[in-house]
């Protein structure tokens, strides 16, 4: 097996992640490119991966029933949404003015 690159779709397990790997192939009958997705379980020793991270997987010996890949490196970290804190939101609401001006009709 060779190295594959995919996107982390689940990290709810301890030291394990589920990675979705997309591949394109040309369909001879349809004369189009078709996308297929495979989901692999991979070992993440330090629990560094989050959902949305782009990772590279290396094959390894079977670590469990469904897990025979190891996260080699995190290629790109996902941007995690952090809602603004209530104190900064309250301070910012006083300075924002509405773009719609009141009209006299």
């Amino acid at each position: 097996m060779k190295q594959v690159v995919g996107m982390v779709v689940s990290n709810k397990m301890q030291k394990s992640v589920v990675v979705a790997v997309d591949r394109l192939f040309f369909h001879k009958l349809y004369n189009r490119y078709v996308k297929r997705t495979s989901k692999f379980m991979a070992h993440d020793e330090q629990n560094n991966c989050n959902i949305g991270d782009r990772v590279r997987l290396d094959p390894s010996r079977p670590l469990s029933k469904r897990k025979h890949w190891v996260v080699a490196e995190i290629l790109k970290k996902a941007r995690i949404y952090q809602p603004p804190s209530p104190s900064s939101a309250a301070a910012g609401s006083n300075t924002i003015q509405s773009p719609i001006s009141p009209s006299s009709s």
Side-chain angles (χ1 to χ4, degrees), residues 4-104:
V4 294
V5 175
M7 190 80 62
V8 176
V9 293
S10 174
N11 64 345
K12 293 183 186 247
M13 298 162 282
Q14 296 175 2
K15 296 187 178 184
S16 299
V17 291
V18 178
V19 179
V21 177
D22 292 333
R23 62 185 173 92
L24 282 176
F25 66 93
F26 191 76
H27 198 287
K28 293 178 182 175
L29 181 63
Y30 296 156
N31 203 25
R32 301 271 190 276
Y33 281 97
V34 182
K35 182 170 85 167
R36 290 282 184 258
T37 303
S38 301
K39 289 186 355 182
F40 300 119
M41 288 184 65
H43 185 67
D44 180 21
E45 183 65 36
Q46 283 84 27
N47 284 327
N48 291 334
C49 295
N50 287 319
I51 295 175
D53 289 350
R54 192 148 184 82
V55 296
R56 182 171 54 86
L57 302 179
D58 285 339
S60 73
R61 64 180 177 81
L63 300 170
S64 67
K65 181 179 179 180
R66 296 184 52 221
K67 189 165 69 167
H68 51 268
W69 295 91
V70 174
V71 175
E73 68 174 314
I74 300 174
L75 301 174
K76 184 177 180 186
K77 294 291 280 181
R79 293 177 50 188
I80 307 296
Y81 173 72
Q82 296 176 349
S85 63
S87 60
S88 65
S93 64
N94 295 338
T95 59
I96 298 175
Q97 295 186 4
S98 174
I100 302 170
S101 61
S103 61
S104 58

